[in-house]
Amino acid sequence: MPAIACDVKVLDHQRLTDTICLMTVSWPQRDKAPKAGQFFMLRCWPADVAPVLSRPISVHSYDPELAVVEFLYEVRGKGTEKLAALVPGDTLSLVGPSGNGFNVAEAAGKRVALVGGGIGTAPLYQLAKELCEAGTKADYFCGFRDEPYGMDRFTKVCGKVQLATDSGRFGFHGFVTQLLKPEEYDLVLCCGPEPMMRAVAKLCDAAGTRCIVSLERKMACGIGACLGCTCHTETGGRCVCKEGPVFDSKEVFGA
């Protein structure tokens, strides 16, 4: 289903940490329901005002009854700084939902683990909800540098929840990959920093467990026209925005 462009209203906006925000916006387009792993291109500034590009933000949660979408994002530069300045009642422009998303149906009847790192945990909450609604309670493994955020929601829709932090202030002192035992699962779904995802893919390959990853790339158009987010795969170049961001790890990492 092709992406659409529309203006939406900010309903709520919270700072979870100094750099992490949770924004809730209206989404009355019920026939364009976003799925786990999909994203929107967000913009709240005129076309002739810097930055030039809109910002791709993954869907953190979608509630069809309330007709709202939530975005969990990190403030990194000028674009996200402008998004972070929005308050309830403000309007912003969305283009989406875009991307292929996760295939929840293929997880049916399987032992599933979700592995997230940092802001890469953002799309995994909608995925955990969709899996739970389909009858699969996945185990959740998450890693952060220091202070975790957004974990409380996962306890309601997941089975086991395990946390690792680089600092050791919370949870296990180390990497999230040290907590994961892929041989205990049939399917591992992963999103986070690329080095972390490569490490997860390598562990899964050694255990014979299928691994699906969601890539992050800078995007210009978000619809596959500019080829600016092309990634290398075993079958050639693929547009992350249109043909991803979700790929089999063997396709993008060779493991």
Side-chain angles (χ1 to χ4, degrees):
M1 198 175 288
I4 61 171
C6 65
D7 291 336
V8 300
K9 183 175 290 188
V10 177
L11 303 177
D12 188 40
H13 209 170
Q14 306 172 42
R15 282 263 185 175
L16 303 187
T17 72
D18 289 344
T19 59
I20 302 298
C21 296
L22 177 64
M23 178 166 59
T24 305
V25 306
S26 59
W27 184 250
Q29 308 290 339
R30 296 180 186 273
D31 59 333
K32 298 282 187 179
K35 302 298 182 182
Q38 291 189 300
F39 66 93
F40 286 85
M41 301 295 289
L42 277 62
R43 189 181 191 92
C44 61
W45 55 93
D48 58 349
V49 173
V52 175
L53 305 180
S54 300
R55 293 297 182 260
I57 309 290
S58 63
V59 174
H60 180 57
S61 178
Y62 169 62
D63 189 324
E65 293 185 5
L66 298 178
V68 299
V69 176
E70 289 182 326
F71 297 104
L72 180 69
Y73 66 97
E74 183 175 15
V75 182
R76 293 179 175 174
K78 291 182 178 179
T80 47
E81 284 174 357
K82 290 186 176 184
L83 291 175
L86 294 172
V87 298
D90 286 345
T91 298
L92 75 157
S93 298
L94 300 185
V95 176
S98 301
N100 59 353
F102 291 96
N103 185 355
V104 172
E106 72 174 356
K110 295 181 179 178
R111 299 170 301 167
V112 181
L114 309 182
V115 183
I119 198 60
T121 59
L124 297 184
Y125 177 56
Q126 177 63 24
L127 176 57
K129 287 202 308 177
E130 291 183 19
L131 287 169
C132 187
E133 290 168 1
T136 300
K137 273 206 168 186
D139 289 340
Y140 178 53
F141 300 85
C142 54
F144 297 89
R145 290 191 183 94
D146 184 38
E147 184 177 1
Y149 46 83
M151 284 190 60
D152 55 325
R153 289 178 155 190
F154 284 89
T155 60
K156 300 175 183 178
V157 291
C158 291
K160 177 171 62 178
V161 175
Q162 293 200 42
L163 165 69
T165 57
D166 295 351
S167 68
R169 286 184 61 214
F170 301 90
F172 172 75
H173 187 186
F175 299 126
V176 69
T177 48
Q178 295 173 266
L179 297 175
L180 176 68
K181 294 180 173 60
E183 64 274 11
E184 297 180 355
Y185 299 95
D186 304 307
L187 181 65
V188 173
L189 307 170
C190 182
C191 185
E194 191 161 308
M196 184 210 79
M197 291 195 291
R198 286 184 179 275
V200 170
K202 186 176 181 180
L203 289 173
C204 289
D205 187 54
T209 300
R210 190 177 183 205
C211 179
I212 306 296
V213 299
S214 180
L215 300 184
E216 180 181 292
R217 288 290 188 278
K218 290 184 177 180
M219 298 178 185
C221 69
I223 57 174
C226 70
L227 307 181
C229 63
T230 301
C231 71
H232 175 75
T233 74
E234 292 188 337
T235 57
R238 303 280 295 276
C239 285
V240 172
C241 69
K242 185 177 182 180
E243 299 170 280
V246 177
F247 296 92
D248 189 295
S249 65
K250 289 182 179 293
E251 185 177 4
V252 292
F253 298 147

